[in-house]
Amino acid sequence: MRSEPPELLIRTAVPSDAPALGRLAALDEAPLPGGRLLVAEVAGELWAAVSLDTLEAIADPFHPTAGVIALVRMRAGQVRISAASPRRGWWRRGATGLLGDDPGHGATASFPG
């Protein structure tokens, strides 16, 4: 019997993520990307972070993160386009609760482990 794949949550980084982001940067042996970050969380653990400004990424090398980083970069691109659009936010009218107040928060997907 196959187990369900873990759920991937892509969300905006918050101040309480600082210790986990520091851990990711240390594991990846890379500096923390600058600017606003989107993070990928799997089973409550941060696996990757991508800068919304530069699309630079850091990730946990002990997890399969290549596909995760690609998804987070894709979402970052969507957020960047949305932020640049003069009609920003039109798609959220009447959709309260679907995406929350931040378009980078709450996007989920399942992926094969």
Side-chain angles (χ1 to χ4, degrees), residues 26-66:
L27 287 172
D28 200 18
E29 298 179 351
L32 189 64
R36 299 174 305 141
L37 300 175
L38 288 184
V39 296
E41 185 178 306
V42 178
E45 180 182 1
L46 293 188
W47 279 22
V50 172
S51 169
L52 280 167
D53 301 327
T54 65
L55 299 181
E56 291 178 271
I58 56 171
D60 186 333
F62 299 104
H63 291 292
T65 55

